[in-house]
Amino acid sequence: MAIRQQPLKGGEPTAVAPRSFVPWRERAHSFEAIAIAQAIPLNTDGPDGAEQVPGLWVSSDLFRVFAVKPMLGSGFSDQSDRGGEGEIILSHGYWRRRFGSDPSIVGKAIPAGHDSAVVVAVMPPGFQVSSLKVDVYTPMRIDRNRPEAVGSRSFLCFARLRPGVTLEQARGEMAVLAAQIGKEDRIERDFGAAITTLRDYLVSENRSMLLILWAVVAFVLLIACANLAGLLLIRGVGRKSELAVRAVLGAGRWRIVQQLAVESFGLSLAGAVLGLFLGWAGSRTLVALGEGAVDFGQLSDAGLDGHVLVFTLALSCLTTALSGLVPAWSVSRVDLQSSLKSQARGMIGGRGQDRIRSVFVVAEVGLSVVLLIGAGLLLRSFLNLTDVKLGFQPDHVVTMRTLVTGDPAPRARLVEAILDRVETLPGVRSAGTIQFLPLAGLTNRGPFHFVGRALPPDPSLMMSDVATVSRGYFASIGMDLVQGRQFGRQDQIDTPRVALVNRAFKIRYSREADPIGQTIIGDWANPKPTTIIGVVNDTLQTGLTVEPRPTVFLCQAQVPGYFTNLVVRTVSSDPLALAPTIRRAVQSVDARQPFTDIRSMNDYVSMALGRPKLYARFVGTFALLALFLASIGLYGLLAYAVSQRTHEIGLRMALGAQPIGVLISTMWQGVTLIATGVVLGTAGAFTIGSVMSRFLFGVRPVDLSTYLGVALVLLVAGAVAAFLAARRAAAVDPIVALRYE
């Protein structure tokens, strides 16, 4: 199970706070084990010197929750949260990659930050917590009397149900516990507990879009089936005389259906083989396009396997049934007398088959309309996102991440020394640090109050995001100072604490008074009276679609954090070219301080746009494929109709009909089918538009320009297909047609 905290006053579930986790662990009887974890990298030694590896900070029962035991070793020595410091557990992949699968590594010490840790175990291959990629696991000490000392509402929480306990029973017990905790703890009183299965948790944010993508693929499959069914029906009608002869020779209707179904199955099987090849190539392309855009599961492991092969075979059988049996059953109904008479007149088929083929074309066009409208809405949403005002200037900026360990004062001095060294480098305009970069989707958040004002009756009425930044950060990231001053060298760990706030903070909490000079106290790490010294403009911190929230910026030199992102503004338009020089400068300050995840700030902007771009590309590609298939279906229907009406058209032209009249008459038949499909498809698009509303930005689900644009595209495409078929009719030579018939 995955457990999150649910704001009782509305909103999405959040990460878990340790001050709620401790009473859950002590009082909940529904769980066999419950644990929290937080992704924290570890500084260690690599083959080429200091390196940073992805780590997971875990409470004692995490491995019991996932019912897994180490492959080597026995785990942390003290399974209470009061011990285990100085110990470390390796993932199987890291053990194999870094230590060459050496079984004697258990019991040896390896560098861990500025200290060392003893390897006590190696996990088995394939073990993974949620969708996190982890190389090392470190133990978490939780003081039950001060659980907030390990962190705020930023932890993952997992639990294993006791045998015989249902999910609903666990939810009921946790609801009661959350209410009890809320009465005991003022900060936690506005949060309940949300429990889901691990599978639902992993896809919770992506389930709706995954279902939409499935629907897109299903729509294209239905269009292909309708297209194939129409072609098979045309082919079968063209063989009416052959089937009539077979019937005369004693073949029953079921025997004829079997023959046609076998032929359809052969086509489907050939299509499945070709589809597997295209699927293999497409999966590689999808993985490349989805890199950085999809954050659940192991996308890099996506590919063809036994499950895909079985699914493809089953789907081929289904498409055979959908696209082969219906026309086979229709064609197998042989009337010997009418078939021979039609053969004599050169007219094969009837109104029933014509109606079926028309229905297929209308269905293709309708499904294409739905897909094209969905693609159009996603494309417009993506274009709107590219025009969003970020609140900072990403050009010329390079970033890199590190983890600073040790006591607060040494951490603050190390960051200051790194900034001093980097600022002197040629090509560097300014340098600063921030705990979580803009657009990263991460932030700290908590209640606060103004000193000298009455406390709010409800802590949730005065909430603010909190960011820890250093001097020089605002200049480096390109944020404008609106009022007051920025952090400077005078702001140190032993001086009165100061902070800056953003415009959203000023508008919401200090509309009637100047915030400069006011003092606040927040329920953040090491809370102390903090004086506001400046106001900066708003930035997009948690995503392109999330409006800026009130934010307090604390000074890194006064409240040194562990997670630190170095932000450097360069003179060059290629900031990554300076990254090696910056790394060498940092290592000259502390050779054991690694930096990782080196990117330009524009890379983070591209990553934020990655998922909307992927969705627009995916749906757009299939929508164009649907348009192509629908056009082929319309052309095939009209071309067949022209071939069957050659005698009639020749007779009409011999009696004086003009080619332009024949052209218009034939085109009108196609345009009528297209218009009918557009009307029906537009009605269906109203439904899918409302489902897609949560994925749209700056565009309504019922966007008139998109709907009209799609209708125009379909009508033009249909008119072109109809014209190509009608041109053949207008070119019929009446003498040749009559002589042929």
Side-chain angles (χ1 to χ4, degrees), residues 627-666:
L627 176 62
F628 176 71
L629 292 175
S631 300
I632 289 179
L634 177 64
Y635 174 80
L637 172 66
L638 295 180
Y640 174 76
V642 169
S643 68
Q644 294 300 300
R645 295 173 57 199
T646 301
H647 179 75
E648 172 199 341
I649 294 172
L651 182 60
R652 289 175 57 191
M653 296 183 70
L655 295 176
Q658 297 298 315
I660 187 64
V662 174
L663 180 71
I664 294 175
S665 173
T666 306

mmCIF file of all heavy atoms in Angstrom, residues 627-666:
data_model
loop_
_atom_site.group_PDB
_atom_site.id
_atom_site.type_symbol
_atom_site.label_atom_id
_atom_site.label_comp_id
_atom_site.label_asym_id
_atom_site.label_seq_id
_atom_site.Cartn_x
_atom_site.Cartn_y
_atom_site.Cartn_z
ATOM 1 N N LEU A 627 -6.680 10.167 -40.395
ATOM 2 C CA LEU A 627 -7.120 10.968 -41.536
ATOM 3 C C LEU A 627 -6.739 10.286 -42.849
ATOM 4 O O LEU A 627 -7.536 10.230 -43.797
ATOM 5 C CB LEU A 627 -6.493 12.359 -41.456
ATOM 6 C CG LEU A 627 -6.767 13.308 -42.629
ATOM 7 C CD1 LEU A 627 -8.255 13.591 -42.752
ATOM 8 C CD2 LEU A 627 -5.987 14.605 -42.451
ATOM 9 N N PHE A 628 -5.531 9.749 -42.903
ATOM 10 C CA PHE A 628 -5.062 9.057 -44.102
ATOM 11 C C PHE A 628 -5.929 7.835 -44.395
ATOM 12 O O PHE A 628 -6.351 7.604 -45.541
ATOM 13 C CB PHE A 628 -3.603 8.666 -43.912
ATOM 14 C CG PHE A 628 -3.025 7.871 -45.043
ATOM 15 C CD1 PHE A 628 -2.772 8.455 -46.267
ATOM 16 C CD2 PHE A 628 -2.732 6.522 -44.876
ATOM 17 C CE1 PHE A 628 -2.239 7.716 -47.317
ATOM 18 C CE2 PHE A 628 -2.206 5.775 -45.911
ATOM 19 C CZ PHE A 628 -1.958 6.378 -47.142
ATOM 20 N N LEU A 629 -6.214 7.035 -43.342
ATOM 21 C CA LEU A 629 -7.028 5.838 -43.533
ATOM 22 C C LEU A 629 -8.449 6.188 -43.961
ATOM 23 O O LEU A 629 -9.033 5.524 -44.827
ATOM 24 C CB LEU A 629 -7.051 5.020 -42.238
ATOM 25 C CG LEU A 629 -5.733 4.362 -41.829
ATOM 26 C CD1 LEU A 629 -5.877 3.694 -40.470
ATOM 27 C CD2 LEU A 629 -5.300 3.341 -42.871
ATOM 28 N N ALA A 630 -9.015 7.233 -43.342
ATOM 29 C CA ALA A 630 -10.373 7.626 -43.714
ATOM 30 C C ALA A 630 -10.426 8.102 -45.164
ATOM 31 O O ALA A 630 -11.385 7.814 -45.889
ATOM 32 C CB ALA A 630 -10.870 8.727 -42.778
ATOM 33 N N SER A 631 -9.393 8.830 -45.599
ATOM 34 C CA SER A 631 -9.354 9.297 -46.986
ATOM 35 C C SER A 631 -9.264 8.121 -47.951
ATOM 36 O O SER A 631 -9.922 8.105 -49.001
ATOM 37 C CB SER A 631 -8.166 10.244 -47.183
ATOM 38 O OG SER A 631 -8.269 11.372 -46.333
ATOM 39 N N ILE A 632 -8.439 7.131 -47.580
ATOM 40 C CA ILE A 632 -8.331 5.934 -48.420
ATOM 41 C C ILE A 632 -9.676 5.209 -48.488
ATOM 42 O O ILE A 632 -10.096 4.742 -49.557
ATOM 43 C CB ILE A 632 -7.239 5.001 -47.875
ATOM 44 C CG1 ILE A 632 -5.858 5.606 -48.122
ATOM 45 C CG2 ILE A 632 -7.326 3.627 -48.530
ATOM 46 C CD1 ILE A 632 -4.727 4.761 -47.594
ATOM 47 N N GLY A 633 -10.349 5.105 -47.346
ATOM 48 C CA GLY A 633 -11.647 4.432 -47.329
ATOM 49 C C GLY A 633 -12.658 5.122 -48.214
ATOM 50 O O GLY A 633 -13.413 4.473 -48.961
ATOM 51 N N LEU A 634 -12.687 6.466 -48.149
ATOM 52 C CA LEU A 634 -13.626 7.212 -48.988
ATOM 53 C C LEU A 634 -13.287 7.043 -50.468
ATOM 54 O O LEU A 634 -14.169 6.806 -51.308
ATOM 55 C CB LEU A 634 -13.600 8.686 -48.610
ATOM 56 C CG LEU A 634 -14.488 9.606 -49.452
ATOM 57 C CD1 LEU A 634 -15.962 9.237 -49.261
ATOM 58 C CD2 LEU A 634 -14.239 11.064 -49.098
ATOM 59 N N TYR A 635 -12.010 7.155 -50.782
ATOM 60 C CA TYR A 635 -11.596 6.999 -52.178
ATOM 61 C C TYR A 635 -11.944 5.599 -52.690
ATOM 62 O O TYR A 635 -12.439 5.441 -53.816
ATOM 63 C CB TYR A 635 -10.102 7.255 -52.314
ATOM 64 C CG TYR A 635 -9.580 6.975 -53.713
ATOM 65 C CD1 TYR A 635 -9.749 7.898 -54.729
ATOM 66 C CD2 TYR A 635 -8.936 5.772 -53.997
ATOM 67 C CE1 TYR A 635 -9.292 7.643 -56.016
ATOM 68 C CE2 TYR A 635 -8.475 5.500 -55.277
ATOM 69 C CZ TYR A 635 -8.655 6.437 -56.279
ATOM 70 O OH TYR A 635 -8.209 6.170 -57.540
ATOM 71 N N GLY A 636 -11.674 4.586 -51.868
ATOM 72 C CA GLY A 636 -11.972 3.218 -52.285
ATOM 73 C C GLY A 636 -13.449 3.016 -52.548
ATOM 74 O O GLY A 636 -13.841 2.356 -53.531
ATOM 75 N N LEU A 637 -14.286 3.577 -51.671
ATOM 76 C CA LEU A 637 -15.731 3.429 -51.863
ATOM 77 C C LEU A 637 -16.182 4.086 -53.163
ATOM 78 O O LEU A 637 -16.908 3.489 -53.971
ATOM 79 C CB LEU A 637 -16.471 4.048 -50.680
ATOM 80 C CG LEU A 637 -17.997 4.143 -50.812
ATOM 81 C CD1 LEU A 637 -18.609 2.754 -50.838
ATOM 82 C CD2 LEU A 637 -18.588 4.965 -49.683
ATOM 83 N N LEU A 638 -15.743 5.335 -53.376
ATOM 84 C CA LEU A 638 -16.184 6.050 -54.574
ATOM 85 C C LEU A 638 -15.600 5.446 -55.840
ATOM 86 O O LEU A 638 -16.269 5.378 -56.879
ATOM 87 C CB LEU A 638 -15.804 7.529 -54.457
ATOM 88 C CG LEU A 638 -16.500 8.305 -53.332
ATOM 89 C CD1 LEU A 638 -16.035 9.747 -53.314
ATOM 90 C CD2 LEU A 638 -18.013 8.235 -53.478
ATOM 91 N N ALA A 639 -14.333 5.017 -55.784
ATOM 92 C CA ALA A 639 -13.721 4.405 -56.963
ATOM 93 C C ALA A 639 -14.457 3.131 -57.345
ATOM 94 O O ALA A 639 -14.682 2.847 -58.539
ATOM 95 C CB ALA A 639 -12.241 4.109 -56.687
ATOM 96 N N TYR A 640 -14.842 2.352 -56.333
ATOM 97 C CA TYR A 640 -15.595 1.130 -56.626
ATOM 98 C C TYR A 640 -16.967 1.463 -57.202
ATOM 99 O O TYR A 640 -17.441 0.825 -58.159
ATOM 100 C CB TYR A 640 -15.738 0.303 -55.355
ATOM 101 C CG TYR A 640 -16.620 -0.907 -55.539
ATOM 102 C CD1 TYR A 640 -16.150 -2.032 -56.211
ATOM 103 C CD2 TYR A 640 -17.923 -0.920 -55.039
ATOM 104 C CE1 TYR A 640 -16.964 -3.135 -56.398
ATOM 105 C CE2 TYR A 640 -18.740 -2.017 -55.217
ATOM 106 C CZ TYR A 640 -18.252 -3.129 -55.894
ATOM 107 O OH TYR A 640 -19.049 -4.209 -56.075
ATOM 108 N N ALA A 641 -17.607 2.496 -56.617
ATOM 109 C CA ALA A 641 -18.925 2.886 -57.122
ATOM 110 C C ALA A 641 -18.835 3.321 -58.584
ATOM 111 O O ALA A 641 -19.709 3.008 -59.404
ATOM 112 C CB ALA A 641 -19.495 4.009 -56.264
ATOM 113 N N VAL A 642 -17.766 4.046 -58.938
ATOM 114 C CA VAL A 642 -17.585 4.481 -60.328
ATOM 115 C C VAL A 642 -17.399 3.282 -61.245
ATOM 116 O O VAL A 642 -17.985 3.203 -62.335
ATOM 117 C CB VAL A 642 -16.383 5.447 -60.424
ATOM 118 C CG1 VAL A 642 -16.007 5.697 -61.887
ATOM 119 C CG2 VAL A 642 -16.713 6.765 -59.739
ATOM 120 N N SER A 643 -16.582 2.319 -60.782
ATOM 121 C CA SER A 643 -16.343 1.135 -61.621
ATOM 122 C C SER A 643 -17.623 0.340 -61.837
ATOM 123 O O SER A 643 -17.830 -0.253 -62.906
ATOM 124 C CB SER A 643 -15.263 0.250 -60.984
ATOM 125 O OG SER A 643 -15.730 -0.326 -59.775
ATOM 126 N N GLN A 644 -18.504 0.305 -60.836
ATOM 127 C CA GLN A 644 -19.750 -0.436 -60.971
ATOM 128 C C GLN A 644 -20.788 0.320 -61.807
ATOM 129 O O GLN A 644 -21.717 -0.280 -62.346
ATOM 130 C CB GLN A 644 -20.340 -0.731 -59.578
ATOM 131 C CG GLN A 644 -19.491 -1.676 -58.742
ATOM 132 C CD GLN A 644 -19.317 -3.018 -59.426
ATOM 133 O OE1 GLN A 644 -20.287 -3.719 -59.693
ATOM 134 N NE2 GLN A 644 -18.080 -3.382 -59.726
ATOM 135 N N ARG A 645 -20.595 1.667 -61.881
ATOM 136 C CA ARG A 645 -21.576 2.474 -62.613
ATOM 137 C C ARG A 645 -21.047 2.894 -63.985
ATOM 138 O O ARG A 645 -21.567 3.822 -64.595
ATOM 139 C CB ARG A 645 -21.926 3.720 -61.790
ATOM 140 C CG ARG A 645 -22.634 3.431 -60.481
ATOM 141 C CD ARG A 645 -22.776 4.713 -59.677
ATOM 142 N NE ARG A 645 -23.487 5.733 -60.433
ATOM 143 C CZ ARG A 645 -23.435 7.044 -60.145
ATOM 144 N NH1 ARG A 645 -22.692 7.452 -59.128
ATOM 145 N NH2 ARG A 645 -24.106 7.919 -60.877
ATOM 146 N N THR A 646 -20.001 2.218 -64.456
ATOM 147 C CA THR A 646 -19.416 2.606 -65.745
ATOM 148 C C THR A 646 -20.455 2.575 -66.869
ATOM 149 O O THR A 646 -20.536 3.495 -67.698
ATOM 150 C CB THR A 646 -18.237 1.673 -66.084
ATOM 151 O OG1 THR A 646 -17.261 1.768 -65.049
ATOM 152 C CG2 THR A 646 -17.614 2.061 -67.413
ATOM 153 N N HIS A 647 -21.243 1.496 -66.908
ATOM 154 C CA HIS A 647 -22.278 1.385 -67.939
ATOM 155 C C HIS A 647 -23.287 2.518 -67.810
ATOM 156 O O HIS A 647 -23.656 3.158 -68.812
ATOM 157 C CB HIS A 647 -22.969 0.030 -67.823
ATOM 158 C CG HIS A 647 -24.076 -0.166 -68.825
ATOM 159 N ND1 HIS A 647 -23.856 -0.424 -70.166
ATOM 160 C CD2 HIS A 647 -25.434 -0.124 -68.667
ATOM 161 C CE1 HIS A 647 -25.018 -0.534 -70.789
ATOM 162 N NE2 HIS A 647 -25.989 -0.360 -69.908
ATOM 163 N N GLU A 648 -23.752 2.779 -66.582
ATOM 164 C CA GLU A 648 -24.745 3.838 -66.356
ATOM 165 C C GLU A 648 -24.185 5.203 -66.749
ATOM 166 O O GLU A 648 -24.850 6.002 -67.427
ATOM 167 C CB GLU A 648 -25.151 3.847 -64.884
ATOM 168 C CG GLU A 648 -26.026 5.035 -64.504
ATOM 169 C CD GLU A 648 -26.031 5.292 -63.005
ATOM 170 O OE1 GLU A 648 -25.679 4.367 -62.240
ATOM 171 O OE2 GLU A 648 -26.368 6.421 -62.620
ATOM 172 N N ILE A 649 -22.933 5.473 -66.327
ATOM 173 C CA ILE A 649 -22.329 6.770 -66.634
ATOM 174 C C ILE A 649 -22.146 6.942 -68.136
ATOM 175 O O ILE A 649 -22.403 8.011 -68.701
ATOM 176 C CB ILE A 649 -20.981 6.913 -65.890
ATOM 177 C CG1 ILE A 649 -21.221 6.951 -64.371
ATOM 178 C CG2 ILE A 649 -20.231 8.158 -66.347
ATOM 179 C CD1 ILE A 649 -19.948 6.901 -63.557
ATOM 180 N N GLY A 650 -21.689 5.864 -68.795
ATOM 181 C CA GLY A 650 -21.535 5.938 -70.251
ATOM 182 C C GLY A 650 -22.850 6.208 -70.947
ATOM 183 O O GLY A 650 -22.919 6.994 -71.912
ATOM 184 N N LEU A 651 -23.928 5.572 -70.460
ATOM 185 C CA LEU A 651 -25.241 5.781 -71.060
ATOM 186 C C LEU A 651 -25.707 7.222 -70.862
ATOM 187 O O LEU A 651 -26.228 7.853 -71.789
ATOM 188 C CB LEU A 651 -26.250 4.802 -70.449
ATOM 189 C CG LEU A 651 -27.679 4.859 -70.991
ATOM 190 C CD1 LEU A 651 -27.691 4.553 -72.499
ATOM 191 C CD2 LEU A 651 -28.565 3.857 -70.248
ATOM 192 N N ARG A 652 -25.486 7.766 -69.634
ATOM 193 C CA ARG A 652 -25.898 9.146 -69.352
ATOM 194 C C ARG A 652 -25.143 10.130 -70.230
ATOM 195 O O ARG A 652 -25.709 11.095 -70.754
ATOM 196 C CB ARG A 652 -25.669 9.475 -67.875
ATOM 197 C CG ARG A 652 -26.637 8.761 -66.934
ATOM 198 C CD ARG A 652 -26.258 9.033 -65.480
ATOM 199 N NE ARG A 652 -26.228 10.460 -65.202
ATOM 200 C CZ ARG A 652 -25.730 10.983 -64.086
ATOM 201 N NH1 ARG A 652 -25.207 10.177 -63.167
ATOM 202 N NH2 ARG A 652 -25.742 12.295 -63.894
ATOM 203 N N MET A 653 -23.851 9.886 -70.401
ATOM 204 C CA MET A 653 -23.060 10.803 -71.216
ATOM 205 C C MET A 653 -23.418 10.674 -72.695
ATOM 206 O O MET A 653 -23.363 11.650 -73.453
ATOM 207 C CB MET A 653 -21.566 10.554 -70.988
ATOM 208 C CG MET A 653 -21.130 10.862 -69.557
ATOM 209 S SD MET A 653 -19.366 10.648 -69.274
ATOM 210 C CE MET A 653 -18.712 12.021 -70.214
ATOM 211 N N ALA A 654 -23.801 9.459 -73.118
ATOM 212 C CA ALA A 654 -24.232 9.279 -74.503
ATOM 213 C C ALA A 654 -25.530 10.019 -74.780
ATOM 214 O O ALA A 654 -25.790 10.453 -75.912
ATOM 215 C CB ALA A 654 -24.390 7.793 -74.815
ATOM 216 N N LEU A 655 -26.343 10.190 -73.713
ATOM 217 C CA LEU A 655 -27.614 10.890 -73.846
ATOM 218 C C LEU A 655 -27.474 12.391 -73.640
ATOM 219 O O LEU A 655 -28.476 13.106 -73.565
ATOM 220 C CB LEU A 655 -28.639 10.318 -72.864
ATOM 221 C CG LEU A 655 -29.057 8.862 -73.110
ATOM 222 C CD1 LEU A 655 -29.994 8.377 -72.020
ATOM 223 C CD2 LEU A 655 -29.712 8.722 -74.487
ATOM 224 N N GLY A 656 -26.215 12.874 -73.425
ATOM 225 C CA GLY A 656 -26.004 14.316 -73.361
ATOM 226 C C GLY A 656 -25.489 14.856 -72.048
ATOM 227 O O GLY A 656 -25.291 16.068 -71.908
ATOM 228 N N ALA A 657 -25.312 14.008 -71.033
ATOM 229 C CA ALA A 657 -24.787 14.494 -69.751
ATOM 230 C C ALA A 657 -23.370 15.017 -69.932
ATOM 231 O O ALA A 657 -22.565 14.431 -70.662
ATOM 232 C CB ALA A 657 -24.810 13.378 -68.708
ATOM 233 N N GLN A 658 -23.067 16.155 -69.269
ATOM 234 C CA GLN A 658 -21.747 16.753 -69.360
ATOM 235 C C GLN A 658 -20.805 16.145 -68.314
ATOM 236 O O GLN A 658 -21.228 15.763 -67.214
ATOM 237 C CB GLN A 658 -21.839 18.268 -69.141
ATOM 238 C CG GLN A 658 -22.663 18.979 -70.198
ATOM 239 C CD GLN A 658 -22.052 18.822 -71.578
ATOM 240 O OE1 GLN A 658 -20.837 18.976 -71.753
ATOM 241 N NE2 GLN A 658 -22.895 18.513 -72.575
ATOM 242 N N PRO A 659 -19.498 16.065 -68.647
ATOM 243 C CA PRO A 659 -18.537 15.523 -67.670
ATOM 244 C C PRO A 659 -18.555 16.263 -66.339
ATOM 245 O O PRO A 659 -18.413 15.648 -65.281
ATOM 246 C CB PRO A 659 -17.197 15.675 -68.393
ATOM 247 C CG PRO A 659 -17.544 15.638 -69.849
ATOM 248 C CD PRO A 659 -18.865 16.320 -69.960
ATOM 249 N N ILE A 660 -18.746 17.612 -66.385
ATOM 250 C CA ILE A 660 -18.743 18.367 -65.131
ATOM 251 C C ILE A 660 -19.912 17.965 -64.243
ATOM 252 O O ILE A 660 -19.814 17.919 -63.013
ATOM 253 C CB ILE A 660 -18.782 19.892 -65.427
ATOM 254 C CG1 ILE A 660 -18.605 20.685 -64.135
ATOM 255 C CG2 ILE A 660 -20.065 20.262 -66.144
ATOM 256 C CD1 ILE A 660 -17.284 20.496 -63.471
ATOM 257 N N GLY A 661 -21.041 17.634 -64.868
ATOM 258 C CA GLY A 661 -22.188 17.177 -64.087
ATOM 259 C C GLY A 661 -21.928 15.837 -63.433
ATOM 260 O O GLY A 661 -22.314 15.598 -62.281
ATOM 261 N N VAL A 662 -21.294 14.922 -64.177
ATOM 262 C CA VAL A 662 -20.942 13.624 -63.610
ATOM 263 C C VAL A 662 -19.947 13.803 -62.472
ATOM 264 O O VAL A 662 -20.041 13.158 -61.419
ATOM 265 C CB VAL A 662 -20.359 12.706 -64.708
ATOM 266 C CG1 VAL A 662 -19.858 11.398 -64.103
ATOM 267 C CG2 VAL A 662 -21.410 12.438 -65.777
ATOM 268 N N LEU A 663 -18.986 14.733 -62.659
ATOM 269 C CA LEU A 663 -17.984 14.996 -61.620
ATOM 270 C C LEU A 663 -18.646 15.496 -60.343
ATOM 271 O O LEU A 663 -18.372 15.000 -59.242
ATOM 272 C CB LEU A 663 -16.976 16.018 -62.147
ATOM 273 C CG LEU A 663 -15.850 16.422 -61.183
ATOM 274 C CD1 LEU A 663 -14.876 15.276 -61.010
ATOM 275 C CD2 LEU A 663 -15.116 17.655 -61.711
ATOM 276 N N ILE A 664 -19.547 16.471 -60.499
ATOM 277 C CA ILE A 664 -20.210 17.043 -59.318
ATOM 278 C C ILE A 664 -21.089 16.004 -58.633
ATOM 279 O O ILE A 664 -21.134 15.909 -57.406
ATOM 280 C CB ILE A 664 -21.032 18.281 -59.722
ATOM 281 C CG1 ILE A 664 -20.094 19.401 -60.193
ATOM 282 C CG2 ILE A 664 -21.895 18.760 -58.564
ATOM 283 C CD1 ILE A 664 -20.823 20.619 -60.732
ATOM 284 N N SER A 665 -21.806 15.218 -59.419
ATOM 285 C CA SER A 665 -22.692 14.202 -58.846
ATOM 286 C C SER A 665 -21.908 13.183 -58.020
ATOM 287 O O SER A 665 -22.314 12.814 -56.902
ATOM 288 C CB SER A 665 -23.455 13.493 -59.967
ATOM 289 O OG SER A 665 -24.200 12.406 -59.468
ATOM 290 N N THR A 666 -20.761 12.744 -58.549
ATOM 291 C CA THR A 666 -19.961 11.759 -57.825
ATOM 292 C C THR A 666 -19.320 12.368 -56.582
ATOM 293 O O THR A 666 -19.287 11.753 -55.515
ATOM 294 C CB THR A 666 -18.873 11.191 -58.752
ATOM 295 O OG1 THR A 666 -19.482 10.692 -59.943
ATOM 296 C CG2 THR A 666 -18.110 10.074 -58.064
#
